[in-house]
Amino acid sequence: MENRSSRSTENVRFVDDVFSAIGSDLRAALERDPAARGAADVILSYPGFHAVAAHRFIHALHRSGIPLLPRWLSNVNRFFTGIEIHPNARIGRGFFIDHGMGVVIGETAEVGDNCTIYQGVTLGGTSLARGKRHPTLGNNVTVGVGAAVLGAITIGDHAKIGGGSVVVRDVPPNATAVGVPARIVMKDGIPVSAPAEEEANWTWVI
Ligand SMILES: CC(C)(COP(=O)(O)OP(=O)(O)OC[C@H]1O[C@@H](n2cnc3c(N)ncnc32)[C@H](O)[C@@H]1OP(=O)(O)O)[C@@H](O)C(=O)NCCC(=O)NCCS
């Protein structure tokens, strides 16, 4: 009896957490898209919002150990939104995927709080081995349109990745990385010209 009641308390907490995270995603879209015309606009017409909201339920099913169904639902999610998020991917609060089509977020990817990504972004793996093989984004990271962030690398808090970039090494916090392969053009608000001396000392240089 006690077990059943503690399980139902847990379920209530879980539903609360999911809805509260979805609320933070809604606020993120309103704050970060100047084209958003209000909550109803986002709820009705933003595939990025739909995909993340669905993922939050799918991820919970996945974590509760239900086989097959979460993966199938993530495919249904992809069919309707053009956004593929593996059920195991861990997504922080206030996540905004703008436009969305073509986004892929891999199985062991982790995304911190208040991150923004645009259409065509891949958070992908570079290894066929099981285990951690996808990137970790810190908090307040922005990944521009069409960028590929590949491997078990870390993108630091407040970092920006330029549209079309390919990033295969860690990016430090407060840095802007652009190009193929990505190089740092800004760190702590100070422009970095390549190949600068400071840049040569950073371990992330490709
Ligand atoms: C990376 C980004 C955030 C940098 O913006 P910023 O801080 O204002 O930096 P700047 O525009 O001053 O650019 C700094 C340098 O990086 C270069 N650069 C900027 N973005 C680049 C990119 N995506 N690819 C390659 N080089 C880029 C600039 O040419 C400049 O080089 P220079 O100093 O040799 O002239 C921005 O360019 C970007 O790509 N944002 C993504 C936006 C997006 O995806 N929008 C989609 C809307 S649908």
Side-chain angles (χ1 to χ4, degrees), residues 60-139:
L61 292 177
H62 173 78
R63 288 195 67 179
S64 69
I66 294 171
L68 286 174
L69 181 66
R71 193 78 170 107
W72 181 75
L73 288 174
S74 87
N75 261 288
V76 173
N77 195 12
R78 176 180 184 264
F79 179 84
F80 283 107
T81 63
I83 294 166
E84 180 171 330
I85 310 177
H86 191 282
N88 190 59
R90 288 165 182 265
I91 309 282
R93 297 169 64 83
F95 186 42
F96 178 44
I97 304 178
D98 202 0
H99 307 293
M101 182 61 82
V103 164
V104 176
I105 300 180
E107 183 187 13
T108 60
E110 293 164 78
V111 175
D113 292 335
N114 303 315
C115 291
T116 304
I117 69 177
Y118 291 90
Q119 67 273 20
V121 165
T122 298
L123 303 183
T126 50
S127 149
L128 300 181
R130 286 178 192 270
K132 176 70 174 167
R133 62 191 186 284
H134 298 95
T136 298
L137 308 191
N139 299 325

Side-chain angles (χ1 to χ4, degrees), residues 98-99 118-119 142-146 160-165 176-180 183 185-186 191-192:
D98 202 0
H99 307 293
Y118 291 90
Q119 67 273 20
T142 302
V143 185
V145 53
K160 288 181 193 160
I161 308 299
S165 304
T176 301
V178 303
V180 181
R183 67 183 182 84
V185 291
M186 191 85 81
V192 176

Side-chain angles (χ1 to χ4, degrees), residues 35-61:
R37 292 288 174 263
D41 187 17
V42 174
I43 290 166
L44 292 173
S45 10
Y46 277 56
F49 174 73
H50 300 155
V52 176
H55 172 74
R56 296 205 183 278
F57 287 101
I58 293 167
H59 180 66
L61 292 177

